[in-house]
């Protein structure tokens, strides 16, 4: 039986930045509900909501203080119920972010741990090294910069133990050797599934289990962490026990899906997360990491397909998300960056499997160069202002009008400022232009959902000139892209969609086409 998510188009909603219904300058769930007709007309099958649980917002929701409630900032539980009902009425599924690696430092468990040393085993506390325990327990660094350990003050006022946080100090890591942590996660999963949520995107799905001895990082480990996303402290064998546990709960809800954020290198390692009793889908970031180069794009597709095949699983595809630079900017910016982003969208949407589109991608939004004074990402502070963080890809959506806040909010003081030049990129402006990126995405999703040529789970590579790629789906669809500098011959067939303006029997540079 083909599962609903096997070839679904998921639309990622960053709730703070999608639509603001109450005028506080921050997006919320009623704002999402109010834009569901837009999403239905776009042609998406499901939503993925970034975290909306109760949080102090030190990392904009990824520091969860209560995993079984919705933060008032986003409208509370009633707003989620309204969104679920409205989305399901339109045939749109809703998945939520799950953050099992850590909690907020404001979580009741962590507050108890600070007050009572006997309650610390749900986190990873250790005595420090050196005289008086003044040095961290090991040399680990945080993904966000700085040490991965913070020392607490004991209830009697003396310097005390250290706790592990692989991200911000406001995000203490949970101890996944404790049954109580598993039991609490099961409660959380069932709470949301019973309310009608259709599944979860699991944050840091590869990172929950830590080496029991917590060894120092070697010089090689540090270089690997600095130069790639493959953190050597993650991906321990016991992490798969956690995913098998999650799957036992989800199997009681046959239509629910688990999508893991899995940053590991190597097809065999990746495939282990997709075994029949673990994740349904695993985010594959190879297209995100590939340069705009025919060879790199083909390598990314081949490896993603191979990794999924090793597990008998469905591949996934994405070009951007809330953690990475938007592809228009990544591919060079300006008109060239947009042309390349549109071409890559056709390649991605031609592939078999599940697709994830980040809000604003369908508008061709670029990253925004924000002033230092408005940056909010903890990466900015933790890196000592050496890394600008991820705020540039999280600027609110432009909906309508000729000036900020572009219909996103009734409040001009949005949580991140919107650039005036986005006036030409609003939904209102683009939906009346048949050549716009928005209408291009709508047409692509319509064809993907309605054409028999997209049938079948594999791809066949066709001969193509240097700098070009051409692939055929088993149903007969052909997708070709030209990443080179010169026009190339078109493959045989009728062009049903082009990312640009194909010349007579030619494929211009930075252009992709679908042919049948």
């Amino acid at each position: 039986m083909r599962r609903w998510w096997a070839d679904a188009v998921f639309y990622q909603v960053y709730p703070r930045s999608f639509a603001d219904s109450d005028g506080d300058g921050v997006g919320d769930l009623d704002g999402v509900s109010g834009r569901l007709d837009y999403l239905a007309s776009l042609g998406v099958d499901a939503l993925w909501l970034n975290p909306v649980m109760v949080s102090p917002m030190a990392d904009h929701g990824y520091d969860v203080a209560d995993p079984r409630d919705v933060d008032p900032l986003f409208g509370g539980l009633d707003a989620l119920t309204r969104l679920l009902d409205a989305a399901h009425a339109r045939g749109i599924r809703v998945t939520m972010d799950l953050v099992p690696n850590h909690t907020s430092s404001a979580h009741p468990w962590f507050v108890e741990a600070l007050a009572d040393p006997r309650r610390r085993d749900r986190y990873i506390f250790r005595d420090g090294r050196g005289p008086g325990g003044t040095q961290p327990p090991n040399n680990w660094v945080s993904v966000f910069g700085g040490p991965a350990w913070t020392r607490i003050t004991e209830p009697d006022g003396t310097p005390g133990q250290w706790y592990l946080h692989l991200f911000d100090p406001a995000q203490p890591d949970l101890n996944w050797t404790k049954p109580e942590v598993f039991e609490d996660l099961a409660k959380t999963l069932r709470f949301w599934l019973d309310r009608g949520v259709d599944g979860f995107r699991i944050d840091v799905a590869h990172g929950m289990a830590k080496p029991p001895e917590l060894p120092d990082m070697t010089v090689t480990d540090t270089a690997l962490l600095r130069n790639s996303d493959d953190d050597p402290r993650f991906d321990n064998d016991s992490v798969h026990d956690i995913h098998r546990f999650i799957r036992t709960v989800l199997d009681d809800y046959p239509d629910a899906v688990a999508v893991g954020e899995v940053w590991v290198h190597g097809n065999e390692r990746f495939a282990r997360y997709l075994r029949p009793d673990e994740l349904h889908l695993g985010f594959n970031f190879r297209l995100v990491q590939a340069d705009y180069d025919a060879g790199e794009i083909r390598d990314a597709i081949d490896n993603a397909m191979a990794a999924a095949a090793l597990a008998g699983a469905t591949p996934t595809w994405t070009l951007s998300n809330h953690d990475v630079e938007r592809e228009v900017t990544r591919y060079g910016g300006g008109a060239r960056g947009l042309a390349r982003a549109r071409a890559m969208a056709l390649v991605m949407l031609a592939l078999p499997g599940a697709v994830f589109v980040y809000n604003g991608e369908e508008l061709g939004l670029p990253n925004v160069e924000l002033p230092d004074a408005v940056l909010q990402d903890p990466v900015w502070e933790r890196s000592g202002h050496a890394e600008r963080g991820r705020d540039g890809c999280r600027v609110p959506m432009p909906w309508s009008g000729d000036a900020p806040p572009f219909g996103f909010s009734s409040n001009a003081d949005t949580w991140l400022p919107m650039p005036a030049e986005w006036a030409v990129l609003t939904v209102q402006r683009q939906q009346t232009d048949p050549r716009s990126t928005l209408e291009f995405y709508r047409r692509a999703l319509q064809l993907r959902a309605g054409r028999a040529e997209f049938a079948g789970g594999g791809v066949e590579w066709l001969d193509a000139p240097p700098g070009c790629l051409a692939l055929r789906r088993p149903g007969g669809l052909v997708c070709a892209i030209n990443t080179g500098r010169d026009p190339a011959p078109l493959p045989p067939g009728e062009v049903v969609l082009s990312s640009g303006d194909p010349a007579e029997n030619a494929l211009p540079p930075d252009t992709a086409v679908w042919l049948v």
Side-chain angles (χ1 to χ4, degrees), residues 223-439:
L224 184 62
L225 177 60
R226 184 172 60 250
N227 296 316
S228 79
D229 295 294
D230 193 9
D231 192 321
R233 299 166 296 178
F234 290 170
D235 190 35
N236 291 281
D237 286 345
S238 55
V239 75
H240 297 284
D241 295 332
I242 304 172
H243 288 298
R244 282 189 284 270
F245 174 79
I246 292 172
R247 185 62 178 268
T248 62
V249 177
L250 265 64
D251 281 347
D252 289 337
Y253 303 81
D255 278 342
V257 65
V259 187
E261 181 194 26
V262 182
W263 285 100
V264 297
H265 288 251
N267 295 340
E268 293 79 10
R269 287 172 64 192
F270 187 87
R272 294 181 67 196
Y273 290 84
L274 300 176
R275 289 177 289 196
D277 58 350
E278 296 193 35
L279 294 166
H280 298 100
L281 299 173
F283 268 108
N284 193 304
F285 299 99
R286 291 184 181 272
L287 279 182
V288 174
Q289 295 172 312
D291 288 338
Y292 186 77
D293 170 83
E296 288 204 26
I297 296 165
R298 176 167 177 169
D299 181 70
I301 294 171
D302 282 343
N303 279 285
M305 296 286 292
L310 283 171
T314 297
T316 67
W317 312 100
T318 190
L319 291 171
S320 65
N321 62 39
H322 64 293
D323 284 333
V324 300
E325 188 176 54
R326 287 191 178 272
E327 65 267 37
V328 171
T329 301
R330 205 167 66 238
Y331 296 143
R336 171 175 285 185
L338 178 59
R340 290 175 169 181
R342 287 169 60 126
M344 285 299 296
L346 271 197
V347 173
M348 176 179 71
L349 293 171
L351 297 169
V355 172
F356 291 81
V357 175
Y358 179 42
N359 61 213
E361 189 174 333
E362 77 280 14
L363 302 179
L365 297 184
N367 248 50
V368 179
E369 281 294 323
L370 295 164
D372 292 358
V374 305
L375 295 179
Q376 300 184 35
D377 191 343
V379 172
W380 170 244
E381 293 298 333
R382 290 283 294 170
S383 68
H385 298 178
E387 301 288 340
R388 297 191 65 77
R390 302 158 292 178
D391 291 321
C393 67
R394 300 176 176 184
V395 174
M397 284 271 289
W399 292 96
S400 60
D402 297 321
F406 295 121
F408 164 76
S409 174
S410 60
N411 186 343
D413 187 18
T414 53
W415 78 279
L416 287 174
M418 305 171 72
E421 56 267 28
W422 277 12
V424 297
L425 297 177
T426 65
V427 171
Q428 182 183 51
R429 182 76 67 91
Q430 293 201 41
Q431 66 188 359
T432 59
D433 179 1
R435 295 169 57 86
S436 70
T437 301
L438 173 58
E439 293 308 305

Side-chain angles (χ1 to χ4, degrees), residues 487-498:
L490 274 173
E494 174 193 357
V495 175
V496 294
L497 187 61
S498 173

Side-chain angles (χ1 to χ4, degrees), residues 141-293:
V141 294
S142 163
V143 174
F144 285 174
W149 296 90
T150 292
R151 195 175 195 186
I152 68 167
T153 299
E154 298 292 353
D156 64 3
T158 60
Q161 290 188 302
W162 299 72
Y163 69 89
L164 179 68
H165 51 85
L166 290 183
F167 295 91
D168 193 79
Q171 296 166 294
D173 281 41
L174 285 164
N175 180 2
W176 278 96
T177 68
K178 296 299 175 183
E180 188 176 359
V181 177
F182 283 84
E183 293 163 7
D184 192 71
L185 177 62
K187 291 179 183 177
T188 296
L189 294 169
R190 294 187 186 280
F191 178 86
W192 296 114
L193 292 166
D194 288 341
R195 296 189 76 88
V197 170
D198 297 293
F200 304 94
R201 177 265 191 184
I202 302 174
D203 187 57
V204 197
H206 58 298
M208 294 173 280
K210 314 300 188 296
E213 63 279 10
L214 300 179
D216 276 346
M217 296 180 70
T218 66
V219 173
T220 302
D221 290 339
T222 303
L224 184 62
L225 177 60
R226 184 172 60 250
N227 296 316
S228 79
D229 295 294
D230 193 9
D231 192 321
R233 299 166 296 178
F234 290 170
D235 190 35
N236 291 281
D237 286 345
S238 55
V239 75
H240 297 284
D241 295 332
I242 304 172
H243 288 298
R244 282 189 284 270
F245 174 79
I246 292 172
R247 185 62 178 268
T248 62
V249 177
L250 265 64
D251 281 347
D252 289 337
Y253 303 81
D255 278 342
V257 65
V259 187
E261 181 194 26
V262 182
W263 285 100
V264 297
H265 288 251
N267 295 340
E268 293 79 10
R269 287 172 64 192
F270 187 87
R272 294 181 67 196
Y273 290 84
L274 300 176
R275 289 177 289 196
D277 58 350
E278 296 193 35
L279 294 166
H280 298 100
L281 299 173
F283 268 108
N284 193 304
F285 299 99
R286 291 184 181 272
L287 279 182
V288 174
Q289 295 172 312
D291 288 338
Y292 186 77
D293 170 83

